[in-house]
Amino acid sequence: MTSHAATAPSLAATQRRIWMLAWPIMLSNITVPLLGLADSAVLAHLPDPQHLGAVAIGAQLFTLLLWSFGFLRMGTTAVTARAAGAQQQVQIIESLQHSLWLVLPVCLLVMTAAFIALPWLLPLMGGSDSVQSGAAEYLSIRLLSAPAVLAQYVLTGWFIGLGKTRIPLLILTLVNSLNAVLDYVLVFHAGMTSDGVALGSVLADYSGLIAALYFARRHGLQSLGIRPPLATLRPLLRINHHLFVRTLCLLLVFAFFTAQGARMGELTLATNALLITALLLISNALDGFAHAAESLTGHSLGQADSGQLRQTLLLTGLNMLGLAAALTLLLWLAGPYLLSLMTSQPELLPQLQRYQHYLFWLPLVGVASYWLDGVFIGAQASSAMRNAMLAAALLIFLPVWWLTREWGNDGLWWAFYAFLLARALFAVNTFLTLWKRPQNFV
């Protein structure tokens, strides 16, 4: 792998490129909660609150189910960024075609998982019989959009791999805007309730898919092509398999964390749920630079340019660390105000105040693992991501929780902190290899 020291762009040029890639992703991630906000705002104006509860439960289960298959986005980015860096136009198009062909079997898997899991997951979410009935109706409609959502995962990953991060921003803006309009029309003018909100989301998702395919066509996609043989898909399947195991392990850690909090009482469960929601918002903010790392790392390796690769690693890491420090400072300064926004319940607020310091330090504790995920996706080091996640969960998270379980919720949070740090520590060796011998990843 050549160094291209003489031709590598300046640090300032690389920094500008990172920011150009990162800011649309950050803005896109800010719009993600708007879909749920629009649904809630419309239903909150109906006289019966059960519809709002039904959509809250149904949407949470739908998101959990689909998030398990987020590897479609990451795997497509990994393959596309490498091909784009090497300027292999045929491989760029094939990376999208092959990933789109995977959507059909994955969609069948989603539907099968929904059919098996939802009947016993719904009662676990709580709520009255009418709320659960509404949630089941919502899901029966909302699941119709699964093919569109999964295909959008693929297309979003492709655009990020190409470095066209403004396109996902445009698509998300369209989806969220159309969803809000459809919610209003179907609920207030068509006389529907939670079923109208579900239908509005389905129509918005397919509209987003049409828009994404339009942009893909403008960037070279003419058709899906013929169904690729299994041997051709094997590299993509290998990457996606590793990413699926990694994501499943992460979901199980969150599930275990939630279950242990629930055993300590409803107040602890509610407190942890609010803090984890804040964690997801933090990770969304940091994802802009992580996605930039994915794209630019893949491009640098595709170009066999070690100088550009090291600039990418250095600057994306510094940018993420700086943003994490700013978020920690912001959370510390705005803590009391933020907590009052989270809840107005007098019995819950003291609990949040007691554990607020765990929220304040989360950006700095988690930033290294989020950044390395982005770097490893770009380097197609998906097996290292999987191994680090499994090792952190089995060798660190569970043992630390067991040793500190007598500390109650504090012990649970220390175990979670250890898990986030361990994810990065178990990945250090692979990162150092990438820095010193990037030719091993070409």
Side-chain angles (χ1 to χ4, degrees):
M1 187 171 185
T2 58
S3 64
H4 294 292
T7 59
S10 67
L11 287 174
T14 302
Q15 174 70 356
R16 284 194 298 271
R17 191 177 179 192
I18 289 170
W19 271 99
M20 291 298 291
L21 289 170
W23 76 258
I25 297 297
M26 293 180 184
L27 201 54
S28 298
N29 288 341
I30 291 173
T31 70
V32 170
L34 294 180
L35 185 101
L37 184 61
D39 293 346
S40 299
V42 168
L43 292 173
H45 286 83
L46 294 179
D48 193 338
Q50 75 177 40
H51 304 302
L52 183 58
V55 169
I57 290 175
Q60 186 176 0
L61 288 175
F62 179 82
T63 301
L64 177 65
L65 186 63
L66 270 292
W67 192 35
S68 304
F69 299 92
F71 62 81
L72 286 171
R73 200 281 304 163
M74 295 182 282
T76 306
T77 297
V79 176
T80 304
R82 184 72 61 91
Q87 297 183 343
Q88 299 170 327
Q89 190 60 34
V90 173
Q91 284 81 356
I92 289 173
I93 300 301
E94 285 183 346
S95 68
L96 176 57
Q97 291 172 326
H98 294 170
S99 292
L100 286 173
W101 273 105
L102 288 179
V103 168
L104 179 59
V106 170
C107 191
L108 293 175
L109 187 59
V110 168
M111 294 301 185
T112 303
F115 179 78
I116 295 173
L118 291 179
W120 61 268
L121 279 177
L122 268 174
L124 294 178
M125 301 298 290
S128 64
D129 290 342
S130 58
V131 168
Q132 293 215 5
S133 175
E137 182 184 34
Y138 172 90
L139 282 166
S140 67
I141 299 171
R142 189 77 172 87
L143 282 168
L144 295 175
S145 68
V149 173
L150 293 171
Q152 282 191 65
Y153 283 173
V154 167
L155 287 155
T156 297
W158 192 65
F159 291 129
I160 292 173
L162 291 177
K164 306 291 183 180
T165 54
R166 297 186 187 186
I167 294 177
L169 172 60
L170 291 173
I171 294 168
L172 267 175
T173 302
L174 168 67
V175 170
N176 290 327
S177 301
L178 186 58
N179 179 74
V181 172
L182 289 171
D183 279 354
Y184 176 81
V185 171
L186 293 173
V187 173
F188 291 114
H189 293 279
M192 303 176 75
T193 56
S194 53
D195 56 340
V197 167
L199 181 58
S201 296
V202 170
L203 295 174
D205 283 334
Y206 278 101
S207 298
L209 174 59
I210 292 170
L213 289 172
Y214 166 77
F215 285 114
R217 185 174 179 83
R218 290 188 59 181
H219 285 81
L221 179 69
Q222 299 302 315
S223 69
L224 279 179
I226 60 173
R227 183 174 63 84
L230 185 60
T232 304
L233 292 176
R234 191 163 286 120
L236 186 60
L237 290 171
R238 174 183 54 81
I239 293 172
N240 283 334
H241 168 260
H242 296 157
L243 293 172
F244 176 70
V245 173
R246 172 254 179 204
T247 303
L248 184 61
C249 180
L250 179 61
L251 288 173
L252 290 174
V253 168
F254 277 115
F256 183 88
F257 185 93
T258 301
Q260 292 305 313
R263 294 180 63 183
M264 300 176 200
E266 291 185 1
L267 279 179
T268 301
L269 174 62
T271 298
N272 288 351
L274 288 173
L275 295 179
I276 289 296
T277 299
L279 168 65
L280 296 178
L281 293 176
I282 290 167
S283 64
N284 278 344
L286 294 171
D287 268 352
F289 291 119
H291 289 346
E294 293 176 21
S295 181
L296 294 180
T297 299
H299 284 205
S300 300
L301 289 170
Q303 295 166 356
D305 190 338
S306 59
Q308 175 63 48
L309 173 66
R310 293 191 180 103
Q311 283 190 10
T312 293
L313 299 178
L314 175 65
L315 290 177
T316 54
L318 289 176
N319 276 287
M320 284 192 71
L321 181 60
L323 180 57
L327 286 170
T328 290
L329 180 62
L330 179 64
L331 290 169
W332 181 70
L333 292 174
Y337 177 69
L338 179 64
L339 295 178
S340 64
L341 285 178
M342 284 184 170
T343 182
S344 58
Q345 297 180 17
E347 68 275 11
L348 183 55
L349 193 55
Q351 280 283 95
L352 278 174
Q353 292 170 339
R354 183 186 180 312
Y355 296 105
Q356 63 182 350
H357 55 284
Y358 293 115
L359 171 62
F360 298 164
W361 293 104
L362 271 176
L364 284 173
V365 172
V367 64
S369 59
Y370 303 149
W371 171 61
L372 287 172
D373 277 351
V375 170
F376 285 3
I377 289 171
Q380 295 188 15
S382 54
S383 61
M385 290 176 65
R386 176 202 60 195
N387 295 342
M389 182 69 75
L390 289 171
L394 298 176
L395 302 181
I396 302 297
F397 176 68
L398 290 177
V400 171
W401 165 78
W402 178 260
L403 292 173
T404 62
R405 66 191 187 281
E406 293 184 359
W407 299 357
N409 202 36
D410 289 291
L412 189 59
W413 273 102
W414 278 111
F416 189 70
Y417 265 34
F419 166 71
L420 291 175
L421 292 170
R423 281 176 56 190
L425 289 174
F426 283 122
V428 164
N429 186 58
T430 302
F431 171 77
L432 291 176
T433 302
L434 176 64
W435 181 273
K436 297 175 181 177
R437 295 186 294 278
Q439 64 272 15
N440 291 3
F441 295 82
V442 174

